[in-house]
Amino acid sequence: MRVVVIGAGVAGLALARGLLNAGHDVEVYEEAPEPRTAGGSVTLWPGSTAILERLKADLGGVGRRLETMESWSGDGRPLFTVDLTAAERRYRHPTVHVARSELVEVLADGVPVTYGARAEHVVPERAEVRLAGGGTVRGDVLVGADGRRSAVRAALWGDDPARLSGWVTWQGFTTAPTTLTEQRRAVMIPGGQGLCGLIPAGRGRLLWWFDVRSAPGRPFWEDDPRIVERLRERFAGWPDPVPAVLESLDEPDFFPHHRHHVPVAWGKGPTTLAGDSAHTMPPTMAQGANQALEDAWALSGSIGDLRAYERARTKVVRRPARLAATEVTNVQHTFAGLIPDRLATRMYTAWLRGASNYLLTVS
Protein backbone atom coordinates (compact mmCIF):
# COMPACT_ATOMS: atom_id res chain seq x y z
CA MET A 1 0.00 0.00 0.00
CA ARG A 2 1.24 3.49 -0.80
CA VAL A 3 0.92 5.86 2.17
CA VAL A 4 1.58 9.59 2.09
CA VAL A 5 2.40 11.12 5.47
CA ILE A 6 2.33 14.89 5.94
CA GLY A 7 4.56 15.93 8.82
CA ALA A 8 7.89 14.59 10.07
CA GLY A 9 7.44 15.01 13.81
CA VAL A 10 7.26 12.16 16.30
CA ALA A 11 3.91 10.86 14.99
CA GLY A 12 4.82 11.03 11.29
CA LEU A 13 8.27 9.50 11.62
CA ALA A 14 7.14 6.73 13.98
CA LEU A 15 4.24 5.86 11.69
CA ALA A 16 6.52 5.78 8.67
CA ARG A 17 8.89 3.40 10.48
CA GLY A 18 6.04 1.10 11.39
CA LEU A 19 4.66 1.06 7.85
CA LEU A 20 8.08 0.54 6.26
CA ASN A 21 8.73 -2.36 8.64
CA ALA A 22 5.42 -3.85 7.49
CA GLY A 23 6.43 -3.60 3.83
CA HIS A 24 4.38 -0.59 2.76
CA ASP A 25 5.52 2.15 0.37
CA VAL A 26 5.78 5.36 2.41
CA GLU A 27 6.48 9.00 1.48
CA VAL A 28 6.88 11.66 4.18
CA TYR A 29 6.62 15.38 3.41
CA GLU A 30 7.66 18.04 5.91
CA GLU A 31 7.12 21.79 5.72
CA ALA A 32 10.26 22.65 7.68
CA PRO A 33 13.51 22.84 5.69
CA GLU A 34 15.25 20.37 8.01
CA PRO A 35 14.39 17.92 10.82
CA ARG A 36 12.12 19.42 13.49
CA THR A 37 14.08 19.26 16.72
CA ALA A 38 12.59 22.25 18.56
CA GLY A 39 11.42 21.74 22.09
CA GLY A 40 13.14 20.45 25.18
CA SER A 41 12.68 16.80 26.01
CA VAL A 42 9.94 14.25 26.55
CA THR A 43 9.17 11.57 29.10
CA LEU A 44 8.43 8.23 27.46
CA TRP A 45 6.30 5.92 29.60
CA PRO A 46 6.59 2.09 29.42
CA GLY A 47 4.06 1.75 26.60
CA SER A 48 6.09 4.13 24.46
CA THR A 49 9.46 2.53 25.13
CA ALA A 50 7.86 -0.80 24.22
CA ILE A 51 6.47 0.68 20.99
CA LEU A 52 9.88 2.09 20.10
CA GLU A 53 11.35 -1.37 20.53
CA ARG A 54 8.68 -2.74 18.19
CA LEU A 55 9.55 0.00 15.69
CA LYS A 56 13.24 -0.96 15.87
CA ALA A 57 14.10 2.52 17.14
CA ASP A 58 17.05 2.13 19.48
CA LEU A 59 17.24 4.58 22.40
CA GLY A 60 20.50 3.08 23.61
CA GLY A 61 22.94 5.78 24.60
CA VAL A 62 20.41 8.62 24.74
CA GLY A 63 18.12 9.87 27.45
CA ARG A 64 17.87 8.96 31.10
CA ARG A 65 15.94 6.11 32.70
CA LEU A 66 13.73 7.43 35.51
CA GLU A 67 13.01 5.63 38.77
CA THR A 68 10.81 8.08 40.69
CA MET A 69 8.44 10.95 40.03
CA GLU A 70 8.23 13.26 43.02
CA SER A 71 6.09 16.20 44.09
CA TRP A 72 7.57 18.73 46.51
CA SER A 73 6.11 21.70 48.30
CA GLY A 74 7.47 25.19 47.68
CA ASP A 75 9.72 24.84 50.72
CA GLY A 76 11.16 21.51 49.57
CA ARG A 77 9.05 19.12 51.65
CA PRO A 78 8.13 15.83 49.90
CA LEU A 79 4.41 15.63 49.11
CA PHE A 80 4.32 12.25 47.40
CA THR A 81 6.57 9.96 45.36
CA VAL A 82 5.57 7.63 42.53
CA ASP A 83 7.87 4.62 42.20
CA LEU A 84 8.28 4.33 38.42
CA THR A 85 10.12 1.04 38.77
CA ALA A 86 6.77 -0.51 39.75
CA ALA A 87 5.43 0.31 36.28
CA GLU A 88 8.69 -0.89 34.76
CA ARG A 89 8.28 -4.27 36.47
CA ARG A 90 4.58 -4.46 35.62
CA TYR A 91 4.96 -3.62 31.92
CA ARG A 92 8.54 -4.88 31.39
CA HIS A 93 9.75 -1.61 29.90
CA PRO A 94 11.28 1.48 31.56
CA THR A 95 10.32 5.12 31.73
CA VAL A 96 12.92 7.17 29.85
CA HIS A 97 13.38 10.92 29.56
CA VAL A 98 15.01 11.95 26.27
CA ALA A 99 15.71 15.15 24.39
CA ARG A 100 13.17 15.62 21.61
CA SER A 101 15.98 16.22 19.12
CA GLU A 102 17.48 12.82 19.97
CA LEU A 103 14.11 11.07 19.73
CA VAL A 104 13.48 12.62 16.30
CA GLU A 105 16.96 11.60 15.15
CA VAL A 106 16.38 7.99 16.23
CA LEU A 107 12.96 7.84 14.54
CA ALA A 108 14.20 9.49 11.32
CA ASP A 109 16.99 6.99 10.77
CA GLY A 110 16.21 5.17 7.51
CA VAL A 111 12.93 7.03 6.86
CA PRO A 112 12.67 8.89 3.52
CA VAL A 113 11.59 12.49 4.17
CA THR A 114 11.19 15.35 1.72
CA TYR A 115 11.86 18.58 3.62
CA GLY A 116 10.72 22.06 2.63
CA ALA A 117 7.48 20.61 1.21
CA ARG A 118 4.46 22.50 2.57
CA ALA A 119 0.98 21.09 2.04
CA GLU A 120 -0.91 23.83 0.22
CA HIS A 121 -4.15 22.12 -0.79
CA VAL A 122 -5.54 18.82 0.49
CA VAL A 123 -8.26 16.69 -1.08
CA PRO A 124 -9.12 14.12 1.62
CA GLU A 125 -11.48 12.09 -0.56
CA ARG A 126 -8.64 11.33 -2.99
CA ALA A 127 -5.74 11.18 -0.50
CA GLU A 128 -4.19 13.95 -2.56
CA VAL A 129 -2.00 16.89 -1.58
CA ARG A 130 -0.78 19.76 -3.70
CA LEU A 131 2.55 21.04 -2.42
CA ALA A 132 3.61 24.66 -2.35
CA GLY A 133 5.89 25.42 -5.25
CA GLY A 134 4.23 22.89 -7.51
CA GLY A 135 3.73 19.18 -7.57
CA THR A 136 0.94 16.92 -6.36
CA VAL A 137 1.29 13.73 -4.35
CA ARG A 138 -1.33 11.08 -3.74
CA GLY A 139 -1.48 7.67 -2.16
CA ASP A 140 -3.81 4.87 -1.24
CA VAL A 141 -3.87 6.46 2.23
CA LEU A 142 -3.09 10.00 3.41
CA VAL A 143 -2.14 10.70 7.02
CA GLY A 144 -2.00 14.19 8.47
CA ALA A 145 0.68 14.19 11.17
CA ASP A 146 1.44 17.88 10.72
CA GLY A 147 0.77 19.15 14.22
CA ARG A 148 -1.65 21.55 15.84
CA ARG A 149 -1.87 23.79 12.76
CA SER A 150 -2.46 20.79 10.50
CA ALA A 151 -3.33 21.53 6.87
CA VAL A 152 -4.78 18.04 6.55
CA ARG A 153 -7.03 18.48 9.58
CA ALA A 154 -8.18 21.86 8.27
CA ALA A 155 -9.33 20.15 5.08
CA LEU A 156 -11.18 17.54 7.15
CA TRP A 157 -12.54 19.54 10.08
CA GLY A 158 -12.47 23.17 8.99
CA ASP A 159 -11.48 25.70 11.67
CA ASP A 160 -8.82 24.95 14.28
CA PRO A 161 -10.68 23.41 17.26
CA ALA A 162 -7.91 24.10 19.77
CA ARG A 163 -8.40 26.71 22.47
CA LEU A 164 -5.92 28.24 24.89
CA SER A 165 -6.10 26.78 28.39
CA GLY A 166 -4.82 29.84 30.24
CA TRP A 167 -1.44 28.33 31.13
CA VAL A 168 1.95 28.65 29.44
CA THR A 169 5.27 26.84 29.75
CA TRP A 170 8.72 28.38 29.71
CA GLN A 171 11.40 25.71 29.39
CA GLY A 172 14.97 24.89 28.50
CA PHE A 173 18.02 22.85 29.51
CA THR A 174 20.73 23.69 31.98
CA THR A 175 24.12 22.04 31.94
CA ALA A 176 25.13 23.73 35.19
CA PRO A 177 25.74 21.05 37.84
CA THR A 178 22.73 20.51 40.12
CA THR A 179 21.71 17.97 42.75
CA LEU A 180 19.35 16.30 40.24
CA THR A 181 21.29 16.29 36.97
CA GLU A 182 22.89 12.86 37.38
CA GLN A 183 20.00 11.26 39.26
CA ARG A 184 16.95 9.34 38.01
CA ARG A 185 14.28 11.47 39.65
CA ALA A 186 11.64 13.65 38.03
CA VAL A 187 10.57 16.45 40.36
CA MET A 188 7.55 18.76 40.23
CA ILE A 189 7.20 21.66 42.63
CA PRO A 190 3.70 23.17 42.54
CA GLY A 191 2.75 26.35 44.32
CA GLY A 192 0.66 29.48 44.15
CA GLN A 193 3.12 31.10 41.72
CA GLY A 194 2.92 28.19 39.26
CA LEU A 195 4.90 24.99 38.86
CA CYS A 196 8.58 24.23 38.41
CA GLY A 197 9.50 20.89 36.87
CA LEU A 198 12.96 19.32 36.77
CA ILE A 199 13.98 16.12 34.95
CA PRO A 200 17.45 14.82 34.01
CA ALA A 201 17.75 14.24 30.25
CA GLY A 202 21.16 12.58 30.06
CA ARG A 203 24.51 13.89 28.83
CA GLY A 204 24.78 16.34 31.70
CA ARG A 205 21.51 18.12 30.93
CA LEU A 206 18.61 18.93 33.22
CA LEU A 207 15.30 19.91 31.65
CA TRP A 208 13.58 22.66 33.56
CA TRP A 209 10.20 24.22 32.98
CA PHE A 210 8.01 26.80 34.63
CA ASP A 211 4.24 26.71 34.14
CA VAL A 212 2.45 29.97 34.89
CA ARG A 213 -1.07 31.28 34.46
CA SER A 214 -1.76 33.99 31.94
CA ALA A 215 -1.22 37.52 33.24
CA PRO A 216 -3.99 40.12 32.68
CA GLY A 217 -3.04 42.51 29.90
CA ARG A 218 -0.03 40.40 28.92
CA PRO A 219 -1.65 37.04 28.32
CA PHE A 220 1.49 34.98 27.88
CA TRP A 221 4.43 37.32 28.53
CA GLU A 222 5.37 36.53 24.95
CA ASP A 223 8.19 38.68 23.54
CA ASP A 224 8.68 40.18 27.00
CA PRO A 225 12.34 41.28 27.20
CA ARG A 226 12.10 40.93 30.98
CA ILE A 227 10.93 37.30 30.97
CA VAL A 228 14.04 35.92 32.68
CA GLU A 229 13.80 38.59 35.35
CA ARG A 230 10.09 37.89 35.78
CA LEU A 231 10.64 34.18 36.27
CA ARG A 232 13.43 34.80 38.76
CA GLU A 233 11.19 37.14 40.74
CA ARG A 234 8.20 34.79 40.61
CA PHE A 235 10.05 31.67 41.76
CA ALA A 236 12.56 33.29 44.12
CA GLY A 237 13.08 31.38 47.35
CA TRP A 238 12.05 28.00 45.98
CA PRO A 239 14.06 24.95 47.09
CA ASP A 240 17.33 23.64 45.66
CA PRO A 241 18.07 23.25 42.76
CA VAL A 242 15.59 25.91 41.58
CA PRO A 243 17.93 28.83 42.49
CA ALA A 244 20.73 27.34 40.35
CA VAL A 245 18.29 26.81 37.48
CA LEU A 246 17.02 30.38 37.70
CA GLU A 247 20.58 31.67 37.69
CA SER A 248 21.32 29.74 34.49
CA LEU A 249 18.24 30.93 32.54
CA ASP A 250 18.97 32.20 29.04
CA GLU A 251 16.30 32.78 26.35
CA PRO A 252 13.81 30.12 27.46
CA ASP A 253 11.43 28.54 24.93
CA PHE A 254 7.78 29.54 25.17
CA PHE A 255 4.77 27.20 24.76
CA PRO A 256 1.15 28.29 25.31
CA HIS A 257 -1.09 25.38 26.33
CA HIS A 258 -3.86 24.35 23.91
CA ARG A 259 -6.62 21.78 24.21
CA HIS A 260 -9.54 20.53 22.19
CA HIS A 261 -12.26 17.88 22.28
CA VAL A 262 -11.25 14.66 20.55
CA PRO A 263 -14.01 13.56 18.12
CA VAL A 264 -14.90 9.93 17.42
CA ALA A 265 -14.07 10.16 13.70
CA TRP A 266 -10.83 11.88 12.74
CA GLY A 267 -10.80 11.36 8.99
CA LYS A 268 -12.75 10.77 5.83
CA GLY A 269 -12.36 8.14 3.13
CA PRO A 270 -8.68 7.29 2.66
CA THR A 271 -7.48 10.14 4.91
CA THR A 272 -6.87 10.18 8.67
CA LEU A 273 -4.83 11.99 11.32
CA ALA A 274 -2.16 11.20 13.90
CA GLY A 275 -0.50 13.05 16.78
CA ASP A 276 -1.33 16.64 17.69
CA SER A 277 -3.33 17.00 14.48
CA ALA A 278 -5.94 14.72 16.02
CA HIS A 279 -5.63 15.41 19.75
CA THR A 280 -3.83 18.56 20.82
CA MET A 281 -3.48 18.63 24.60
CA PRO A 282 -1.47 20.57 27.20
CA PRO A 283 1.89 19.08 28.23
CA THR A 284 0.58 18.71 31.78
CA MET A 285 0.56 14.89 31.83
CA ALA A 286 3.59 14.47 29.53
CA GLN A 287 1.41 12.66 27.01
CA GLY A 288 1.89 14.45 23.67
CA ALA A 289 4.78 12.37 22.33
CA ASN A 290 3.46 9.24 24.01
CA GLN A 291 0.06 9.49 22.36
CA ALA A 292 1.76 10.21 19.02
CA LEU A 293 3.67 6.94 19.37
CA GLU A 294 0.45 5.15 20.32
CA ASP A 295 -1.14 6.48 17.12
CA ALA A 296 1.79 5.27 15.06
CA TRP A 297 1.67 1.78 16.55
CA ALA A 298 -2.10 1.46 16.19
CA LEU A 299 -2.30 2.90 12.67
CA SER A 300 0.62 0.92 11.27
CA GLY A 301 -1.28 -2.22 12.23
CA SER A 302 -4.68 -0.95 11.03
CA ILE A 303 -3.79 0.92 7.85
CA GLY A 304 -6.47 -0.99 5.95
CA ASP A 305 -9.29 0.17 8.26
CA LEU A 306 -8.82 3.82 9.18
CA ARG A 307 -12.15 4.24 10.96
CA ALA A 308 -11.40 1.26 13.22
CA TYR A 309 -8.07 2.87 14.09
CA GLU A 310 -9.81 6.15 14.92
CA ARG A 311 -12.48 4.52 17.08
CA ALA A 312 -9.94 2.47 19.02
CA ARG A 313 -7.68 5.42 19.63
CA THR A 314 -10.48 7.85 20.52
CA LYS A 315 -11.64 5.62 23.37
CA VAL A 316 -8.20 5.74 24.93
CA VAL A 317 -6.70 9.11 23.99
CA ARG A 318 -9.69 11.02 25.38
CA ARG A 319 -8.63 9.97 28.90
CA PRO A 320 -5.24 11.72 28.99
CA ALA A 321 -6.59 14.60 26.87
CA ARG A 322 -9.37 15.33 29.37
CA LEU A 323 -7.08 15.01 32.37
CA ALA A 324 -4.36 17.17 30.81
CA ALA A 325 -6.98 19.83 30.00
CA THR A 326 -7.61 20.26 33.73
CA GLU A 327 -3.92 21.24 34.19
CA VAL A 328 -4.02 18.90 37.19
CA THR A 329 -0.27 18.88 37.87
CA ASN A 330 -0.20 22.67 38.02
CA VAL A 331 -2.78 22.78 40.82
CA GLN A 332 -1.76 19.64 42.70
CA HIS A 333 -0.44 21.61 45.69
CA THR A 334 -4.03 21.69 47.00
CA PHE A 335 -4.21 17.91 47.48
CA ALA A 336 -0.82 16.29 46.78
CA GLY A 337 0.24 15.91 50.41
CA LEU A 338 -2.83 13.79 51.15
CA ILE A 339 -1.78 10.87 48.90
CA PRO A 340 0.34 8.05 50.40
CA ASP A 341 3.27 7.04 48.22
CA ARG A 342 2.13 3.44 47.84
CA LEU A 343 -1.34 4.51 46.72
CA ALA A 344 0.11 7.12 44.33
CA THR A 345 2.31 4.44 42.77
CA ARG A 346 -0.56 1.96 42.34
CA MET A 347 -2.85 4.61 40.89
CA TYR A 348 -0.26 5.91 38.44
CA THR A 349 0.79 2.45 37.30
CA ALA A 350 -2.86 1.59 36.57
CA TRP A 351 -3.47 4.95 34.89
CA LEU A 352 -0.58 4.41 32.47
CA ARG A 353 -2.24 1.24 31.22
CA GLY A 354 -5.58 3.01 30.76
CA ALA A 355 -3.87 5.71 28.67
CA SER A 356 -2.20 3.24 26.30
CA ASN A 357 -3.77 1.12 23.55
CA TYR A 358 -0.51 -0.83 23.46
CA LEU A 359 -0.52 -1.74 27.17
CA LEU A 360 -4.24 -2.50 27.13
CA THR A 361 -3.59 -4.94 24.30
CA VAL A 362 -0.44 -6.71 25.43
CA SER A 363 -0.39 -6.49 29.25
Side-chain angles (χ1 to χ4, degrees):
M1 186 176 291
R2 185 183 186 196
V3 183
V4 172
V5 179
I6 304 300
V10 172
L13 292 172
L15 173 61
R17 288 187 73 87
L19 293 171
L20 288 167
N21 291 343
H24 295 286
D25 180 12
V26 185
E27 300 174 5
V28 182
Y29 296 89
E30 167 58 42
E31 176 180 359
E34 55 189 16
R36 290 196 283 131
T37 57
S41 45
V42 296
T43 299
L44 301 174
W45 307 110
S48 292
T49 53
I51 288 170
L52 287 169
E53 184 178 282
R54 289 284 187 95
L55 295 176
K56 302 177 183 177
D58 184 10
L59 287 179
V62 299
R64 190 85 172 166
R65 174 178 161 272
L66 298 179
E67 296 180 351
T68 63
M69 181 171 63
E70 305 170 20
S71 180
W72 299 354
S73 68
D75 60 6
R77 290 181 296 108
L79 296 175
F80 69 83
T81 297
V82 173
D83 179 3
L84 296 177
T85 67
E88 181 175 342
R89 292 190 298 272
R90 172 69 178 82
Y91 304 124
R92 301 181 297 280
H93 285 84
T95 297
V96 175
H97 192 76
V98 61
R100 181 177 293 273
S101 60
E102 293 169 348
L103 176 59
V104 167
E105 182 178 348
V106 166
L107 289 172
D109 184 33
V111 174
V113 180
T114 300
Y115 291 99
R118 179 171 61 85
E120 188 173 64
H121 180 70
V122 178
V123 184
E125 298 82 359
R126 296 204 299 266
E128 180 179 289
V129 179
R130 186 174 71 235
L131 302 173
T136 298
V137 295
R138 63 177 60 87
D140 300 309
V141 172
L142 170 64
V143 181
D146 45 341
R148 192 183 68 76
R149 298 181 180 86
S150 171
V152 179
R153 188 196 57 221
L156 289 164
W157 297 6
D159 293 339
D160 183 355
R163 298 292 179 266
L164 294 166
S165 76
W167 286 83
V168 299
T169 293
W170 294 94
Q171 73 170 29
F173 289 116
T174 182
T175 55
T178 77
T179 54
L180 289 178
T181 302
E182 299 303 325
Q183 298 194 31
R184 300 186 183 276
R185 303 156 62 196
V187 172
M188 292 180 292
I189 311 173
Q193 299 90 341
L195 176 136
C196 174
L198 304 162
I199 310 183
R203 299 182 178 176
R205 296 163 300 182
L206 182 74
L207 176 77
W208 55 262
W209 76 93
F210 294 97
D211 285 355
V212 296
R213 285 188 184 275
S214 302
R218 292 297 300 277
F220 303 112
W221 298 354
E222 191 172 12
D223 300 322
D224 187 340
R226 294 184 60 248
I227 183 57
V228 170
E229 182 181 344
R230 283 179 177 270
L231 290 172
R232 286 173 176 164
E233 291 171 353
R234 194 177 188 94
F235 293 92
W238 281 40
D240 179 69
V242 179
V245 168
L246 290 169
E247 183 62 29
S248 72
L249 293 192
D250 181 28
E251 298 184 5
D253 292 328
F254 164 79
F255 300 96
H257 294 194
H258 291 81
R259 60 191 178 194
H260 73 69
H261 173 73
V262 181
V264 174
W266 301 355
K268 180 188 302 181
T271 299
T272 191
L273 302 171
D276 285 350
S277 302
H279 41 68
T280 297
M281 65 186 77
T284 304
M285 299 299 296
Q287 282 292 318
N290 290 275
Q291 294 304 322
L293 290 169
E294 292 279 345
D295 289 348
W297 173 77
L299 183 51
S300 61
S302 187
I303 198 67
D305 191 343
L306 302 183
R307 303 296 86 80
Y309 149 74
E310 294 164 6
R311 290 192 299 269
R313 286 294 293 131
T314 295
K315 290 178 183 178
V316 174
V317 75
R318 277 181 172 173
R319 298 167 189 163
R322 286 170 176 164
L323 189 58
T326 69
E327 302 284 357
V328 62
T329 58
N330 289 330
V331 296
Q332 63 179 289
H333 61 283
T334 60
F335 61 83
L338 304 176
I339 306 174
D341 292 353
R342 187 172 297 179
L343 176 60
T345 296
R346 286 203 303 267
M347 290 172 60
Y348 206 80
T349 300
W351 185 84
L352 288 175
R353 183 172 185 268
S356 167
N357 285 81
Y358 179 87
L359 293 180
L360 286 168
T361 302
V362 303
S363 65

